[in-house]
Amino acid sequence: MENLIRKAAADLKAAKKVVALTGAGISVDSGIPPFRGKGGVWEKIDPDYAHIDKFMEDPADVWNVLIKDMKILIDKAKPNDGHKGLATLEQMGILEAVITQNVDGLHQMAGNTDVIEFHGSFAWQRCMICQKRIETAKVDISEIPPRCQCEGILRPEVVFFGEMIPHEALFRSRRLAANCDIMLVVGTSAVVHPAATMPMIAKQSRAKVIEINPERTPLTGSISDYLIRGKAGDVMNDIIAQLQDS
Ligand code: APR
């Protein structure tokens, strides 16, 4: 592991355009569970609850089973060393942008200034009737589903399964993936597309793909050049320390 940290630090230092792709794993140490694997949300809740058809059919049920707890966890979550490490890479002039599948806003809170929210953002709710936007932190969840003053039901500005990825996020992510020379892939199981296609686009464009994850993923051994096995916070701390020593 030690020599992979040194290798990653050297690769990052020599790179011209570094982009990160992050997933739920980077927020695990901020108290937000992953979706898959040990302690994953989908072990306890049917993933159908994250499908737009389910929300349209019974918004109260989806709010009760999935969204309410998301709000409670995200409202109190703070960036961990994984997020802070990526922010430090930006401040060092190494990292250009973060493409995140997460909706928790922790990359922005950590200090990254160019964050593409591939699956939208949980920071805002939108009225299903008048489209008024309300900050999630200000939404009163004593009544479920929460409603707008016009009585419309509120929905989070996240991408449910069955919905399109925001065009701007998709197009910019593709362009960044096609033009980077390193893609850091942190804390994603790389099974949900089109997000998981970004490392393939990077590889096709001759970029180096570096994974940070305690586990192997479908990218490991095929798309990624190497996997640094570990928790995002620990690995990022080691990489930053190596960069500061060199
Ligand atoms: N540090 C780094 N990686 C971790 C950590 C950690 N501390 N803990 C777990 N992981 C890894 C797991 O090994 C797994 O590979 O993070 C990954 C989490 O995978 P998922 O839960 O599938 O999260 P993600 O890849 O972001 O899911 C993609 O699926 O359900 C949808 O919309 C949801 O955006 C999500 C998408």
Side-chain angles (χ1 to χ4, degrees):
M1 159 89 142
E2 205 26 59
N3 64 339
L4 282 182
I5 296 290
R6 272 201 301 277
K7 183 175 169 56
D11 285 342
L12 288 167
K13 197 166 179 180
K16 302 260 177 313
K17 279 177 84 74
V18 178
V19 173
L21 171 73
T22 65
I26 199 169
S27 295
V28 163
D29 284 351
S30 297
I32 300 174
F35 293 97
R36 298 169 187 83
K38 210 161 61 284
V41 172
W42 302 146
E43 278 176 358
K44 305 177 194 78
I45 297 172
D46 182 337
D48 274 355
Y49 275 95
H51 200 287
I52 188 60
D53 294 348
K54 177 74 178 170
F55 184 83
M56 298 306 277
E57 173 204 315
D58 189 344
D61 195 14
V62 175
W63 262 98
N64 269 320
V65 169
L66 182 65
I67 304 175
K68 194 168 66 175
D69 287 347
M70 268 180 82
K71 172 171 169 24
I72 293 165
L73 288 174
I74 291 177
D75 277 355
K76 62 186 178 192
K78 294 279 176 283
N80 65 59
D81 288 349
H83 303 101
K84 291 174 189 169
L86 291 180
T88 304
L89 283 184
E90 177 182 322
Q91 285 137 27
M92 293 169 103
I94 291 175
L95 179 69
E96 181 175 331
V98 178
I99 303 165
T100 188
Q101 299 170 85
N102 302 338
V103 296
D104 54 32
L106 293 178
H107 287 300
Q108 296 92 320
M109 211 187 281
N112 280 101
T113 58
D114 189 352
V115 179
I116 298 167
E117 294 181 305
F118 207 78
H119 291 157
S121 165
F122 198 78
W124 293 89
Q125 301 289 326
R126 196 173 65 239
C127 173
M128 305 277 282
I129 292 180
C130 72
Q131 302 305 310
K132 182 178 172 201
R133 298 175 76 229
I134 302 166
E135 273 184 86
T136 301
K138 292 184 180 142
V139 168
D140 169 11
I141 53 171
S142 57
E143 184 214 332
I144 295 289
R147 291 178 183 272
C148 169
Q149 278 138 340
C150 80
E151 285 306 305
I153 291 173
L154 298 178
R155 59 150 291 169
E157 286 198 331
V158 300
V159 179
F160 283 91
F161 285 125
E163 290 191 304
M164 290 284 286
I165 302 297
H167 294 152
E168 174 57 19
L170 183 58
F171 295 159
R172 261 210 82 207
S173 299
R174 279 193 185 137
R175 208 166 43 244
L176 285 164
N179 293 295
C180 67
D181 50 8
I182 287 188
M183 180 171 279
L184 261 184
V185 180
V186 190
T188 180
S189 58
V191 295
V192 174
H193 291 266
T197 311
M198 298 306 130
M200 299 173 189
I201 294 172
K203 189 74 198 166
Q204 214 170 28
S205 312
R206 296 197 211 307
K208 195 166 278 185
V209 177
I210 304 171
E211 277 190 284
I212 298 175
N213 196 318
E215 312 288 339
R216 295 171 60 85
T217 76
L219 301 175
T220 313
S222 55
I223 297 293
S224 42
D225 291 70
Y226 53 94
L227 162 67
I228 306 178
R229 293 191 81 140
K231 293 164 72 170
D234 299 340
V235 172
M236 286 311 303
N237 284 340
D238 291 346
I239 290 174
I240 297 295
Q242 186 66 38
L243 281 166
Q244 286 166 343
D245 285 353
S246 59

